[in-house]
Amino acid sequence: MPAPSDRAVGFDPPAGLSGPAENRPSLIPLPSLLRSLLTDHLDPGYAAAAERRRAGAARRRAADHLWQALAALLIAVVFAAAVAQARSTAPGVSAAQQVLAASVRSAERSTDELATRRNALAVQADDIQRRQLRDDRTGRQLLTRLDELSLTAATTPVIGPGLNITITDPGAGRDLTDVAKQRVPGSRQVILDRDLQLVVNSLWAAGAEAISVGGVRMGPNATIRQAGGAILVDNHPVSSPYAILAVGPPNTMRDTFERSSGLQRLRLLEAYYGVGVGVSSGDGLSLPAGTVREITFAKQIGP
């Protein structure tokens, strides 16, 4: 009997043969074209091409994995070399930092000692000058004029009533960058040099006779500027809280300063950024003498 699958496709090997089965010639069954079309869906050439593509893709994947492994190994070697170099140079860098820090501290001590000696010599020179000039009328007039000029030049210490303004930076918070793009995002610093400059100019306009910022006397040659994250007053670094002392008539100064752009700026920083602002009157405010510098050229502005 032919197989059921042969009958299903219409193929019957004994069909057309006569006589008993034992007298029939033996036949080698070959699949018909219809069976080949129904059972073999892919041409052998296409199958071989597909197999070659799969083999090529496998080889490419293996090559990619090899290159990735080599790249990872190279990166690991570079990082290991960098770590080894950093560890080998770390002691030298630390030693250099310590030497530089010690040099800076020594220079600061020398500067403080020289400043103290300069102030002492200035007091002695002023005493000698006064003893020589106070004995006659012309000398006394000259002393009065010198006192006026010394107050304007901020070269003598001042004690008197006035205003005490304290400005305190807030804690670390959100991005405090303003239009100037000088504030560092996330830092503790909100107050900039321009804020202190505006406050000092507002105090001068309010009638202050002498002003100091962070213990540094403001004079004709004194500046307030920003250097990175530090504020320098006459090249002396100051930090929060910033203490501004202004000697002058307290009531008149306070009334005018309350309406000034300097205090309005501080109130805005207080409301938006949490800056601490304190304004109080005092009777015995003490301001140091400013730095005396040699002036080689000057031009009068105004009447």
PDB file of all heavy atoms in Angstrom, residues 100-116 236-237:
ATOM      1  N   LEU A 100      53.963  75.898  50.657  1.00  0.00           N
ATOM      2  CA  LEU A 100      53.300  77.125  50.233  1.00  0.00           C
ATOM      3  C   LEU A 100      52.434  77.704  51.354  1.00  0.00           C
ATOM      4  O   LEU A 100      52.414  78.925  51.566  1.00  0.00           O
ATOM      5  CB  LEU A 100      52.438  76.851  48.999  1.00  0.00           C
ATOM      6  CG  LEU A 100      53.206  76.572  47.693  1.00  0.00           C
ATOM      7  CD1 LEU A 100      52.232  76.207  46.581  1.00  0.00           C
ATOM      8  CD2 LEU A 100      54.035  77.774  47.285  1.00  0.00           C
ATOM      9  N   ALA A 101      51.717  76.833  52.077  1.00  0.00           N
ATOM     10  CA  ALA A 101      50.881  77.311  53.182  1.00  0.00           C
ATOM     11  C   ALA A 101      51.740  77.953  54.271  1.00  0.00           C
ATOM     12  O   ALA A 101      51.396  79.006  54.819  1.00  0.00           O
ATOM     13  CB  ALA A 101      50.062  76.155  53.753  1.00  0.00           C
ATOM     14  N   ALA A 102      52.869  77.322  54.590  1.00  0.00           N
ATOM     15  CA  ALA A 102      53.766  77.895  55.597  1.00  0.00           C
ATOM     16  C   ALA A 102      54.325  79.235  55.121  1.00  0.00           C
ATOM     17  O   ALA A 102      54.463  80.188  55.910  1.00  0.00           O
ATOM     18  CB  ALA A 102      54.904  76.918  55.889  1.00  0.00           C
ATOM     19  N   SER A 103      54.654  79.339  53.826  1.00  0.00           N
ATOM     20  CA  SER A 103      55.156  80.596  53.293  1.00  0.00           C
ATOM     21  C   SER A 103      54.104  81.694  53.361  1.00  0.00           C
ATOM     22  O   SER A 103      54.412  82.844  53.709  1.00  0.00           O
ATOM     23  CB  SER A 103      55.612  80.393  51.846  1.00  0.00           C
ATOM     24  OG  SER A 103      56.048  81.608  51.278  1.00  0.00           O
ATOM     25  N   VAL A 104      52.860  81.349  53.058  1.00  0.00           N
ATOM     26  CA  VAL A 104      51.774  82.335  53.128  1.00  0.00           C
ATOM     27  C   VAL A 104      51.573  82.800  54.561  1.00  0.00           C
ATOM     28  O   VAL A 104      51.423  84.011  54.829  1.00  0.00           O
ATOM     29  CB  VAL A 104      50.476  81.737  52.549  1.00  0.00           C
ATOM     30  CG1 VAL A 104      49.289  82.644  52.849  1.00  0.00           C
ATOM     31  CG2 VAL A 104      50.610  81.528  51.050  1.00  0.00           C
ATOM     32  N   ARG A 105      51.577  81.867  55.515  1.00  0.00           N
ATOM     33  CA  ARG A 105      51.401  82.262  56.924  1.00  0.00           C
ATOM     34  C   ARG A 105      52.548  83.150  57.388  1.00  0.00           C
ATOM     35  O   ARG A 105      52.335  84.123  58.130  1.00  0.00           O
ATOM     36  CB  ARG A 105      51.290  81.002  57.791  1.00  0.00           C
ATOM     37  CG  ARG A 105      49.961  80.264  57.641  1.00  0.00           C
ATOM     38  CD  ARG A 105      49.802  79.221  58.733  1.00  0.00           C
ATOM     39  NE  ARG A 105      50.756  78.130  58.555  1.00  0.00           N
ATOM     40  CZ  ARG A 105      50.516  77.031  57.883  1.00  0.00           C
ATOM     41  NH1 ARG A 105      49.335  76.861  57.293  1.00  0.00           N
ATOM     42  NH2 ARG A 105      51.423  76.064  57.769  1.00  0.00           N
ATOM     43  N   SER A 106      53.761  82.820  56.976  1.00  0.00           N
ATOM     44  CA  SER A 106      54.909  83.646  57.351  1.00  0.00           C
ATOM     45  C   SER A 106      54.788  85.052  56.758  1.00  0.00           C
ATOM     46  O   SER A 106      55.074  86.053  57.435  1.00  0.00           O
ATOM     47  CB  SER A 106      56.200  82.976  56.883  1.00  0.00           C
ATOM     48  OG  SER A 106      57.315  83.786  57.167  1.00  0.00           O
ATOM     49  N   ALA A 107      54.367  85.127  55.492  1.00  0.00           N
ATOM     50  CA  ALA A 107      54.194  86.439  54.864  1.00  0.00           C
ATOM     51  C   ALA A 107      53.101  87.240  55.559  1.00  0.00           C
ATOM     52  O   ALA A 107      53.236  88.464  55.742  1.00  0.00           O
ATOM     53  CB  ALA A 107      53.876  86.267  53.385  1.00  0.00           C
ATOM     54  N   GLU A 108      52.027  86.583  55.963  1.00  0.00           N
ATOM     55  CA  GLU A 108      50.954  87.284  56.675  1.00  0.00           C
ATOM     56  C   GLU A 108      51.441  87.816  58.016  1.00  0.00           C
ATOM     57  O   GLU A 108      51.115  88.950  58.396  1.00  0.00           O
ATOM     58  CB  GLU A 108      49.771  86.346  56.871  1.00  0.00           C
ATOM     59  CG  GLU A 108      49.003  86.039  55.591  1.00  0.00           C
ATOM     60  CD  GLU A 108      47.866  85.071  55.841  1.00  0.00           C
ATOM     61  OE1 GLU A 108      47.849  84.455  56.942  1.00  0.00           O
ATOM     62  OE2 GLU A 108      47.012  84.906  54.956  1.00  0.00           O
ATOM     63  N   ARG A 109      52.224  87.018  58.731  1.00  0.00           N
ATOM     64  CA  ARG A 109      52.760  87.501  60.010  1.00  0.00           C
ATOM     65  C   ARG A 109      53.682  88.690  59.800  1.00  0.00           C
ATOM     66  O   ARG A 109      53.625  89.679  60.545  1.00  0.00           O
ATOM     67  CB  ARG A 109      53.498  86.357  60.718  1.00  0.00           C
ATOM     68  CG  ARG A 109      52.586  85.290  61.317  1.00  0.00           C
ATOM     69  CD  ARG A 109      53.362  84.392  62.266  1.00  0.00           C
ATOM     70  NE  ARG A 109      54.422  83.653  61.554  1.00  0.00           N
ATOM     71  CZ  ARG A 109      54.251  82.447  61.037  1.00  0.00           C
ATOM     72  NH1 ARG A 109      53.065  81.852  61.120  1.00  0.00           N
ATOM     73  NH2 ARG A 109      55.249  81.833  60.422  1.00  0.00           N
ATOM     74  N   SER A 110      54.530  88.608  58.775  1.00  0.00           N
ATOM     75  CA  SER A 110      55.438  89.732  58.499  1.00  0.00           C
ATOM     76  C   SER A 110      54.650  90.989  58.128  1.00  0.00           C
ATOM     77  O   SER A 110      54.987  92.101  58.575  1.00  0.00           O
ATOM     78  CB  SER A 110      56.398  89.360  57.360  1.00  0.00           C
ATOM     79  OG  SER A 110      57.185  88.243  57.715  1.00  0.00           O
ATOM     80  N   THR A 111      53.608  90.819  57.323  1.00  0.00           N
ATOM     81  CA  THR A 111      52.784  91.966  56.942  1.00  0.00           C
ATOM     82  C   THR A 111      52.112  92.589  58.158  1.00  0.00           C
ATOM     83  O   THR A 111      52.067  93.834  58.293  1.00  0.00           O
ATOM     84  CB  THR A 111      51.731  91.535  55.915  1.00  0.00           C
ATOM     85  OG1 THR A 111      52.388  90.973  54.774  1.00  0.00           O
ATOM     86  CG2 THR A 111      50.881  92.704  55.478  1.00  0.00           C
ATOM     87  N   ASP A 112      51.568  91.762  59.058  1.00  0.00           N
ATOM     88  CA  ASP A 112      50.917  92.286  60.259  1.00  0.00           C
ATOM     89  C   ASP A 112      51.922  93.024  61.144  1.00  0.00           C
ATOM     90  O   ASP A 112      51.615  94.101  61.692  1.00  0.00           O
ATOM     91  CB  ASP A 112      50.263  91.146  61.034  1.00  0.00           C
ATOM     92  CG  ASP A 112      49.099  90.516  60.280  1.00  0.00           C
ATOM     93  OD1 ASP A 112      48.555  91.188  59.373  1.00  0.00           O
ATOM     94  OD2 ASP A 112      48.751  89.357  60.575  1.00  0.00           O
ATOM     95  N   GLU A 113      53.120  92.470  61.280  1.00  0.00           N
ATOM     96  CA  GLU A 113      54.141  93.127  62.104  1.00  0.00           C
ATOM     97  C   GLU A 113      54.552  94.472  61.502  1.00  0.00           C
ATOM     98  O   GLU A 113      54.687  95.478  62.223  1.00  0.00           O
ATOM     99  CB  GLU A 113      55.356  92.216  62.249  1.00  0.00           C
ATOM    100  CG  GLU A 113      55.085  90.951  63.071  1.00  0.00           C
ATOM    101  CD  GLU A 113      56.268  89.998  63.057  1.00  0.00           C
ATOM    102  OE1 GLU A 113      57.281  90.324  62.377  1.00  0.00           O
ATOM    103  OE2 GLU A 113      56.198  88.947  63.715  1.00  0.00           O
ATOM    104  N   LEU A 114      54.747  94.501  60.198  1.00  0.00           N
ATOM    105  CA  LEU A 114      55.117  95.755  59.546  1.00  0.00           C
ATOM    106  C   LEU A 114      53.997  96.789  59.634  1.00  0.00           C
ATOM    107  O   LEU A 114      54.259  97.996  59.814  1.00  0.00           O
ATOM    108  CB  LEU A 114      55.484  95.490  58.081  1.00  0.00           C
ATOM    109  CG  LEU A 114      56.770  94.687  57.838  1.00  0.00           C
ATOM    110  CD1 LEU A 114      56.934  94.386  56.354  1.00  0.00           C
ATOM    111  CD2 LEU A 114      57.985  95.448  58.360  1.00  0.00           C
ATOM    112  N   ALA A 115      52.745  96.344  59.508  1.00  0.00           N
ATOM    113  CA  ALA A 115      51.621  97.271  59.621  1.00  0.00           C
ATOM    114  C   ALA A 115      51.542  97.852  61.026  1.00  0.00           C
ATOM    115  O   ALA A 115      51.293  99.055  61.208  1.00  0.00           O
ATOM    116  CB  ALA A 115      50.322  96.565  59.261  1.00  0.00           C
ATOM    117  N   THR A 116      51.767  97.020  62.032  1.00  0.00           N
ATOM    118  CA  THR A 116      51.748  97.512  63.412  1.00  0.00           C
ATOM    119  C   THR A 116      52.862  98.533  63.643  1.00  0.00           C
ATOM    120  O   THR A 116      52.651  99.582  64.276  1.00  0.00           O
ATOM    121  CB  THR A 116      51.900  96.334  64.384  1.00  0.00           C
ATOM    122  OG1 THR A 116      50.828  95.403  64.148  1.00  0.00           O
ATOM    123  CG2 THR A 116      51.846  96.803  65.825  1.00  0.00           C
ATOM    124  N   HIS A 236      42.626  93.519  51.251  1.00  0.00           N
ATOM    125  CA  HIS A 236      42.505  92.691  52.452  1.00  0.00           C
ATOM    126  C   HIS A 236      41.256  91.824  52.313  1.00  0.00           C
ATOM    127  O   HIS A 236      40.156  92.353  52.087  1.00  0.00           O
ATOM    128  CB  HIS A 236      42.395  93.554  53.717  1.00  0.00           C
ATOM    129  CG  HIS A 236      43.623  94.361  54.016  1.00  0.00           C
ATOM    130  ND1 HIS A 236      44.698  93.859  54.706  1.00  0.00           N
ATOM    131  CD2 HIS A 236      43.946  95.639  53.702  1.00  0.00           C
ATOM    132  CE1 HIS A 236      45.633  94.780  54.815  1.00  0.00           C
ATOM    133  NE2 HIS A 236      45.204  95.876  54.208  1.00  0.00           N
ATOM    134  N   PRO A 237      41.381  90.507  52.420  1.00  0.00           N
ATOM    135  CA  PRO A 237      40.187  89.652  52.284  1.00  0.00           C
ATOM    136  C   PRO A 237      39.247  89.814  53.473  1.00  0.00           C
ATOM    137  O   PRO A 237      39.683  89.854  54.630  1.00  0.00           O
ATOM    138  CB  PRO A 237      40.777  88.233  52.227  1.00  0.00           C
ATOM    139  CG  PRO A 237      42.099  88.335  52.910  1.00  0.00           C
ATOM    140  CD  PRO A 237      42.620  89.717  52.652  1.00  0.00           C
TER     141      PRO A 237
END
